[in-house]
């Protein structure tokens, strides 16, 4: 039986470059002979992608925070069952653009549901399933939002205002401080290459990048 793959998530506010860095890490792992699956949340399965269309588009007040959190977890459970766990079991590494920490930061902290409420929902939905490593890409809010607006029209979350995004940044940093063994904070400032190097160092310092995980 293949050894289980590693589950690595990327987190951070808008415009921090997560999607680009997920792609760069996937290239780097493939060059080391590690097979990986690149995915994102909300999304990653047909059902979760349909939920994504519902939550990222429309007016800022289209969903209340409880509904939003439940939609995120409906999508997540489907994604974990159909893609993430089977891939890990077959020895592939899974690189996921956002995961549970995003619900904790966005709905739990920034939208005010409370961390305990979201943690309980997480426990009920995923029964303790967590990433092996989470890379938090951290960037000053003004820079993140200007990068995000440069790449196209804003989605519901980008429209929520500067203060919301400051709360969000603080929330991610708090989450990282609470779980320092799992969550590594990386500066997202500088060039794509410079950040990719930080990402690679963080992964390499945890896991051997030689063929399938031992
Ligand atoms: P993306 O822009 O990183 O693709 O993510 C889509 C939006 O969904 C983003 O603004 C963050 C938001 N989101 C939440 O509010 N809660 C969640 O649990 C996840 C996964 C995303």
């Amino acid at each position: 039986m293949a050894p289980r793959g590693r589950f690595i998530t990327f987190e951070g506010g808008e415009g921090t470059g997560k999607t680009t860095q997920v792609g760069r890490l996937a290239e780097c792992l493939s060059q080391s002979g590690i097979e990986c699956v690149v995915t994102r949340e909300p999304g990653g399965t047909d059902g979760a992608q349909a939920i994504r269309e519902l939550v990222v588009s429309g007016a800022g007040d289209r969903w209340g925070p409880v509904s939003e959190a439940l939609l995120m977890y409906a999508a997540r459970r489907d994604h974990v069952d159909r893609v993430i766990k089977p891939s890990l079991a077959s020895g592939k590494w899974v690189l996921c653009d956002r995961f549970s920490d995003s619900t904790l930061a966005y709905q739990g902290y920034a939208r005010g549901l409370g961390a305990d409420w979201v943690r309980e929902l997480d426990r009920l939905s995923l029964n303790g399933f967590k990433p092996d490593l989470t890379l938090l890409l951290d960037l000053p809010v003004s820079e993140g939002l200007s990068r995000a607006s440069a790449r196209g029209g804003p989605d519901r979350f980008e429209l929520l205002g500067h203060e919301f995004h400051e709360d969000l940044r603080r929330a991610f940093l708090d989450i990282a401080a609470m779980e320092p063994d799992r969550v590594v904070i990386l500066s997202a400032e500088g060039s794509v290459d410079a950040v990719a190097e930080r990402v690679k160092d963080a992964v390499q310092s945890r896991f051997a990048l030689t063929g399938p995980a031992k």
Side-chain angles (χ1 to χ4, degrees):
M1 216 174 70
R4 179 188 176 279
R6 308 288 189 186
F7 179 32
I8 302 176
T9 59
F10 285 69
E11 297 282 3
E14 312 296 327
T16 51
K18 297 179 306 304
T19 311
T20 305
Q21 293 301 330
V22 169
R24 290 292 294 263
L25 180 61
E27 276 171 31
C28 166
L29 293 177
S30 313
Q31 282 161 11
S32 305
I34 295 170
E35 221 185 319
C36 49
V37 171
V38 171
T39 187
R40 68 167 179 185
E41 291 213 340
T45 65
D46 287 349
Q49 186 58 31
I51 292 174
R52 181 186 181 90
E53 310 303 328
L54 292 175
V55 290
V56 304
S57 61
D61 63 357
R62 181 179 191 185
W63 302 102
V66 170
S67 307
E68 206 168 73
L70 294 172
L71 286 165
M72 295 297 177
Y73 270 92
R76 183 162 301 134
R77 175 63 197 238
D78 194 55
H79 190 205
V80 167
D81 284 349
R82 292 174 198 263
V83 173
I84 299 176
K85 282 188 173 171
S87 302
L88 294 173
S90 72
K92 292 180 188 147
W93 290 33
V94 176
L95 310 183
C96 191
D97 186 344
R98 296 195 183 281
F99 195 65
S100 302
D101 296 315
S102 278
T103 318
L104 196 51
Y106 278 80
Q107 284 70 45
Y109 286 73
R111 300 215 64 195
L113 277 183
D116 289 346
W117 194 93
V118 175
R119 287 207 174 90
E120 183 63 5
L121 177 60
D122 187 84
R123 191 186 64 74
L124 291 167
S125 309
L126 301 186
N127 200 23
F129 178 74
K130 284 191 177 215
D132 298 308
L133 174 66
T134 296
L135 302 170
L136 170 59
L137 299 185
D138 180 59
L139 195 63
V141 168
S142 49
E143 199 175 327
L145 290 180
S146 68
R147 283 191 195 175
S149 64
R151 79 183 168 210
D155 69 18
R156 274 183 69 231
F157 292 92
E158 286 163 10
L159 289 168
L160 285 169
H162 198 91
E163 201 42 50
F164 176 88
H165 292 284
E166 289 290 356
D167 288 348
L168 196 59
R169 184 182 187 200
R170 273 192 295 274
F172 276 122
L173 291 171
D174 265 17
I175 293 167
M178 277 185 278
E179 287 189 72
D181 290 343
R182 175 176 67 85
V183 187
V184 175
I185 303 168
L186 299 176
S187 166
E189 284 183 286
S191 66
V192 168
D193 285 347
V195 180
E197 207 50 42
R198 283 170 216 149
V199 167
K200 186 180 166 191
D201 287 348
V203 173
Q204 230 163 1
S205 71
R206 297 288 174 118
F207 310 124
L209 299 192
T210 46
K214 296 283 179 305

